[in-house]
């Protein structure tokens, strides 16, 4: 992509080096040391270059350096056929670009590529790197919910973004398919399912399993409340209930390989996973590999025993294996229980080691909620202690909680909003809007379009906030067709598509060639500058593992296009050549919207 700042950085570096030579200073700088900023007031220019960094070197004040450099650059640009201007404003050297020539350079670069090959926007900053991204990590006792939706779209978007800048990406999902929580839904089904199936009840299969988990939790609460009323300690009540004791017995039977228990486990897990995969397909999420906790939970045990032999870990009096992390200013950590069974962290470093053996990644990114920060800090330290040098390349992409205006969600109480229910609700709201505006015939398939609007609203809302922050998801706000929302962005794409269709149908300007040097108004120039920034927005999102950087870019681009659309006649422009040129500028915006939508999991709509 054409970087219009780079030629100016080179010119300024050359001027600074001339000043250094004239002062007899044996130092040289490169264009990499020149920083370009956006001036606070557009009237100051298009780029501001601060001179603070050269004051000590040249033994002059930044305003003096800016003034001298401006005078020298004025002489340089006088020899060039350009309308660019240079001026000094305090410690800044400000440049006003030659709009026409710069617009031509930027847009010529865009149209060198086709819709299918948008590589001009790719910086290649992660070229040839192998990056594994783990995300979603569902349990097989309930369907995906709103919290999973934030995790899923973060993981999918990050995977697409880092792939866009050159990385080879492998997306993995570990399914937590064993443990006491799984046995809870199994027990409820065994006692109350009566041979029912998702088909017989006409319920999506993962929801079917989740309903039994909720049923168990309600029964458990009822029994615990009765025990508490009889004087049992509140903290101990759950474990003393008959339901919990039965669930624990079922877990023991599963671990012992009891045929009936294992068959029930297989059947209910298959139902849960089948339903989850349908939700993944619906939301555009995919994985290259699924790992299963039932197959991985023993992987780390041998590593712990090796660490014990090397005195990295130690055995407690009760027989449990632990590690002392006081030097790292962390607590003691148990790695194997006194009965020799593994815990989550043991499984996790066993799984990480196995993954690196299978596919030697340069980086492994875990997309997991912020409540697990301590867990991953310990995990990474343990892997380094065990001698795995690649552990320094493990990264926890921590994200905050997401809740609804009604309050915090709780799985066991059945107050969690299922992912499918939420998307259905958003789709129905969008469909009502389409019908209210009488757009059914225009959009073709109203339900399909409403579904895409729902996904655009949901994904953009979840990505526009920095991952580290907790957030409140407001369904009605997310579906607004004005403001900083997914449907607003989708509407811009549909508006441009409509213009291009009308022009194609008329065929009047088909034989004309756009002249991008005509794009000199403030609104046109603002769009050109934002288009030129697209590769840097993608690279920044990749470097920071933060899709909100790209979401912010999309909003700025859409706002700028809206201003351009209202201030600059396009189809109705009296000058045919300028009309054609503005149409092609609009097409460039559409290409970038399509590409960035793909990176942020927002469906592009040609009609709304």
């Amino acid at each position: 992509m054409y970087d219009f700042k780079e030629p100016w950085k080179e010119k300024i570096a050359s001027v600074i080096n001339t000043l250094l030579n004239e002062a007899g200073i044996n130092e040289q700088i490169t264009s990499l040391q020149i920083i370009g900023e956006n001036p606070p007031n557009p009237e100051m220019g298009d780029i501001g270059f601060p001179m603070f960094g050269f004051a000590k070197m040249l033994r002059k004040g930044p305003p003096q350096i800016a003034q001298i450099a401006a005078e020298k650059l004025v002489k340089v640009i006088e020899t060039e056929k350009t309308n660019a201007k240079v001026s000094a404003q305090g410690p800044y050297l400000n440049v006003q670009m030659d709009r026409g020539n710069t617009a031509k350079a930027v847009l010529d670069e865009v149209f060198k590529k086709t819709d299918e090959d948008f590589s001009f926007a790719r910086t290649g900053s992660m070229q040839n790197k192998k990056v594994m991204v783990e995300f979603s990590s569902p349990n097989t006792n309930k369907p995906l919910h709103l919290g999973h939706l934030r995790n899923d779209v973060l993981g999918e978007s990050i995977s697409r973004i880092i792939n866009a800048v050159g990385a080879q990406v492998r997306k993995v999902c570990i399914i937590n398919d064993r443990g006491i929580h799984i046995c809870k839904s199994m027990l409820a089904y065994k006692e109350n399912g009566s041979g029912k199936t998702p088909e017989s009840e006409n319920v999506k299969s993962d929801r079917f399993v989740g309903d039994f988990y909720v049923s168990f939790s309600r029964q458990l609460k009822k029994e615990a409340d009765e025990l508490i009323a009889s004087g049992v300690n509140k903290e101990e009540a759950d474990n003393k209930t008959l339901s919990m004791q039965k669930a624990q017995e079922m877990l023991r039977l599963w671990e012992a390989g009891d045929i009936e228990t294992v068959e029930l486990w297989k059947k209910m897990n298959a139902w849960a996973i089948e339903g989850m995969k349908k939700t993944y397909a619906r939301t555009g999420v995919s994985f290259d590999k699924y790992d299963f906790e039932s197959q991985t939970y023993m992987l780390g045990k041998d590593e712990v025993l090796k660490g014990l032999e090397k005195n990295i870990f130690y055995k407690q009096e009760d027989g449990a294996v632990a590690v002392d992390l006081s030097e790292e200013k962390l607590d003691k950590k148990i790695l194997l229980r006194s009965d020799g069974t593994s815990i989550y962290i043991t499984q996790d470093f066993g799984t990480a080691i196995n993954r690196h053996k299978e596919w030697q990644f340069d980086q492994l990114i875990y997309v997991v909620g912020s409540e697990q920060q301590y867990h991953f800090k310990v995990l990474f330290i343990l892997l380094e202690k065990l001698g795995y040098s690649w552990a320094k390349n493990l990264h926890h992409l921590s994200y905050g909680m997401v809740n609804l205006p009604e309050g915090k969600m709780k799985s066991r109480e059945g107050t969690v909003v299922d992912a499918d229910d939420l998307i259905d609700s958003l789709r129905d709201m969008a469909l009502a809007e389409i019908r209210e505006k009488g757009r059914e015939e225009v959009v073709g398939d109203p339900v399909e379009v409403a579904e895409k609007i729902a996904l655009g609203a949901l994904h953009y809302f979840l990505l526009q906030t920095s991952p580290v922050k907790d957030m409140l998801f407001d369904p009605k706000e997310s579906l607004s067709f004005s403001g900083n929302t997914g449907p607003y962005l989708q509407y811009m794409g549909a508006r441009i598509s409509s213009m291009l269709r009308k022009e194609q149908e008329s065929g009047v300007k088909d034989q004309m060639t756009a002249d991008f040097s005509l794009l000199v108004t403030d609104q046109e120039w603002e769009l050109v500058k934002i288009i030129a920034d697209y590769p840097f927005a993608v690279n920044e999102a990749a470097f920071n593992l933060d899709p909100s950087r790209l979401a912010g870019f999309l909003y700025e681009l859409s706002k700028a296009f809206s201003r351009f659309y209202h201030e600059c006649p396009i189809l109705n422009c009296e000058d045919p050549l300028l009309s054609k040129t503005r149409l092609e500028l609009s097409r460039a915006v559409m290409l970038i919207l399509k590409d960035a939508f793909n990176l942020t999991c927002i469906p592009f709509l040609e009609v709304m």
Side-chain angles (χ1 to χ4, degrees):
M1 184 66 181
Y2 179 73
D3 179 3
F4 60 76
K5 293 178 183 177
E6 187 56 33
W8 288 99
K9 289 180 179 180
E10 291 173 359
K11 286 176 180 152
I12 294 168
S14 177
V15 166
I16 298 296
N17 285 331
T18 298
L19 296 177
L20 289 168
N21 290 335
E22 289 174 354
I25 300 169
N26 190 25
E27 286 189 59
Q28 293 284 285
I29 67 162
T30 69
S31 62
L32 295 175
Q33 293 165 269
I34 307 296
I35 299 168
E37 300 177 358
N38 293 323
N41 185 345
E43 293 178 2
M44 293 179 176
D46 299 306
I47 324 169
F49 297 96
M51 296 292 108
F52 301 105
F54 312 113
K56 186 175 180 181
M57 201 181 295
L58 288 166
R59 302 182 186 90
K60 296 181 187 295
Q64 189 180 2
I65 298 170
Q67 188 63 47
I68 297 170
E71 291 169 2
K72 288 185 176 292
L73 278 172
V74 166
K75 293 177 181 177
V76 171
I77 63 176
E78 281 176 355
T79 64
E80 301 172 350
K81 293 181 179 180
T82 175
N83 293 319
K85 295 177 182 177
V86 178
S87 63
Q89 301 253 350
Y92 283 84
L93 177 62
N94 291 335
V95 173
Q96 204 165 56
M97 303 289 295
D98 181 329
R99 292 184 175 186
N101 284 336
T102 305
K104 186 176 187 311
V106 169
L107 294 168
D108 281 350
E109 188 72 19
V110 172
F111 290 111
K112 280 181 183 177
K113 305 297 178 182
T114 67
D115 291 23
E116 291 74 34
D117 181 10
F118 213 62
S119 56
F120 85 91
R122 312 306 191 216
T123 64
S125 59
M126 295 181 74
Q127 197 68 42
N128 301 320
K129 278 195 173 184
K130 295 172 72 174
V131 182
M132 185 176 284
V133 184
E134 179 194 288
F135 61 103
S136 198
S137 308
N139 296 329
T140 55
N141 63 334
K142 55 193 173 186
L144 302 175
H145 54 65
L146 177 55
H148 287 112
L149 288 174
R150 187 178 195 190
N151 182 306
D152 292 348
V153 75
L154 269 173
E156 183 67 35
S157 179
I158 283 296
S159 298
R160 296 182 187 188
I161 289 168
I162 60 178
N163 177 251
V165 297
Q168 183 182 347
V169 179
R170 186 172 173 84
K171 298 181 289 183
V172 296
C173 173
I174 185 161
I175 295 182
N176 302 300
D177 63 342
R178 63 169 288 276
I180 190 65
H181 52 296
I182 307 301
C183 291
K184 291 176 180 179
S185 52
M186 288 168 58
L187 179 64
Y189 178 78
K190 184 178 180 179
E191 294 187 342
N192 304 302
S194 304
K196 295 175 182 176
T197 67
E199 292 77 18
S200 71
E201 303 306 299
N202 194 27
V203 177
K204 189 164 173 277
S205 55
D206 51 344
R207 174 67 175 268
F208 178 79
V209 174
D211 287 344
F212 283 101
Y213 178 72
V214 172
S215 171
F216 174 91
S217 299
R218 287 173 178 164
Q219 177 63 27
L220 181 73
K221 185 177 185 304
K222 179 182 176 183
E223 292 176 20
D225 287 346
E226 290 173 355
L227 288 174
I228 292 168
S230 68
V232 175
N233 187 292
K234 188 176 181 180
E235 283 69 34
E236 299 175 0
D238 276 5
N239 289 328
K240 289 190 175 182
T241 61
L242 180 61
S243 289
M244 183 61 82
Q245 289 170 18
K246 287 180 180 179
Q248 292 284 2
E249 176 59 23
M250 182 169 275
L251 179 59
R252 283 190 288 273
L253 287 170
W254 180 85
E255 290 180 347
D258 177 72
I259 293 174
E260 182 184 347
T261 304
V262 170
E263 286 304 310
L264 175 60
W265 170 78
K266 286 180 179 178
K267 178 165 66 174
M268 296 192 72
N269 273 347
W271 282 335
I273 293 167
E274 177 193 355
M276 290 172 189
K277 287 185 175 180
K278 287 179 180 178
T279 306
Y280 289 141
R282 183 181 189 183
T283 55
V285 170
S286 65
F287 298 96
D288 299 299
K289 185 170 186 266
Y290 289 96
D291 291 319
F292 297 88
E293 186 184 342
S294 58
Q295 298 169 1
T296 64
Y297 78 105
M298 295 295 289
L299 287 177
K301 192 170 181 179
D302 288 344
E303 292 293 330
V304 174
L305 297 177
K306 288 177 189 175
L308 188 60
E309 289 175 9
K310 296 175 183 177
N311 295 319
I312 299 170
F313 310 138
Y314 68 93
K315 187 171 282 190
Q316 297 186 153
E317 288 183 7
D318 64 357
V321 178
V323 60
D324 180 6
L325 297 173
S326 56
E327 286 188 12
E328 288 81 10
K329 297 182 179 178
L330 299 172
D331 299 331
K332 176 186 77 173
K333 183 70 178 176
I334 300 293
L335 302 177
L336 286 178
R337 298 186 185 94
S338 56
D339 61 3
T341 57
S342 301
I343 63 170
Y344 273 116
I345 200 159
T346 317
Q347 167 199 299
D348 278 355
F349 63 68
T351 305
I353 292 165
N354 199 51
R355 283 173 174 168
H356 194 264
K357 285 178 183 175
E358 290 180 353
W359 197 72
Q360 293 188 6
F361 52 76
D362 296 304
Q363 186 179 27
L364 169 53
I365 300 166
Y366 294 90
V367 184
V368 182
S370 55
E371 68 274 10
Q372 295 295 327
Q373 285 180 356
Y374 182 83
H375 172 88
F376 283 103
K377 191 178 290 185
V378 173
L379 173 65
F380 302 162
I381 290 171
L382 287 181
L383 284 166
E384 286 203 66
K385 282 181 177 290
L386 288 167
Y388 294 100
S389 58
W390 45 262
K392 63 181 180 295
N393 297 321
L394 302 181
H395 178 79
H396 175 205
L397 176 52
S398 170
Y399 66 91
M401 292 186 67
V402 53
N403 288 302
L404 293 164
E406 298 92 281
K408 190 173 181 179
M409 303 180 296
K410 296 179 181 177
S411 300
R412 72 187 74 183
E413 295 177 12
T415 59
V416 161
V417 176
D418 290 352
D420 289 293
D421 288 348
L422 178 60
I423 298 169
D424 287 347
S425 173
L426 291 169
R427 180 202 61 207
D428 292 346
M429 290 164 68
L431 187 58
E433 183 83 5
I434 291 170
R435 287 171 174 162
E436 186 179 325
K437 293 183 176 179
R439 300 282 295 174
E440 294 105 314
E441 291 186 12
V442 178
V443 301
D445 185 338
V447 176
E448 181 184 349
V449 171
E451 173 90 358
K452 290 179 177 179
I453 291 171
L455 289 173
L458 175 68
H459 288 167
Y460 183 75
F461 201 103
L462 293 174
L463 290 180
Q464 68 176 325
T465 301
S466 174
V468 298
K469 295 181 180 178
D470 290 343
M471 66 181 301
L472 191 70
F473 177 71
D474 187 327
K476 290 182 180 178
E477 183 183 334
S478 75
L479 272 173
S480 173
F481 281 78
S482 61
N484 192 7
T485 68
Y488 173 74
L489 306 183
Q490 289 173 309
Y491 178 63
M492 289 302 138
R495 174 177 273 177
I496 297 171
S497 298
S498 174
M499 280 197 305
L500 294 174
R501 278 196 306 274
K502 287 178 182 176
E503 183 51 37
Q504 190 174 24
E505 288 164 5
S506 73
V508 174
K509 303 182 180 75
D510 281 353
Q511 304 304 314
M512 298 180 70
T513 301
D515 181 358
F516 296 126
S517 66
L518 298 175
L519 301 173
V520 295
T521 68
D522 289 347
Q523 294 80 15
E524 293 162 340
W525 177 236
E526 183 182 20
L527 261 185
V528 169
K529 287 196 293 182
I530 294 175
I531 288 170
D533 272 340
Y534 180 49
F536 306 104
V538 175
N539 193 55
E540 186 182 16
F543 180 79
N544 293 286
L545 300 178
D546 185 356
S548 72
R549 312 291 181 100
L550 197 50
F553 169 87
L554 272 170
Y555 184 48
E556 291 305 314
L557 177 65
S558 297
K559 284 195 300 180
F561 177 78
S562 182
R563 285 190 288 270
F564 159 71
Y565 180 85
H566 286 104
E567 296 295 328
C568 302
I570 304 174
L571 292 177
N572 297 326
C573 181
E574 294 181 358
D575 181 340
L577 180 57
L578 183 56
S579 175
K580 173 69 174 180
T581 302
R582 286 175 173 169
L583 269 171
E584 291 305 295
L585 174 59
S586 302
R587 190 191 305 276
V589 173
M590 185 187 72
L591 288 174
I592 289 175
L593 286 176
K594 277 187 175 180
D595 193 63
F597 278 12
N598 177 56
L599 298 183
T600 49
C601 309
I602 299 171
F604 184 88
L605 288 168
E606 293 191 355
V607 180
M608 281 180 78

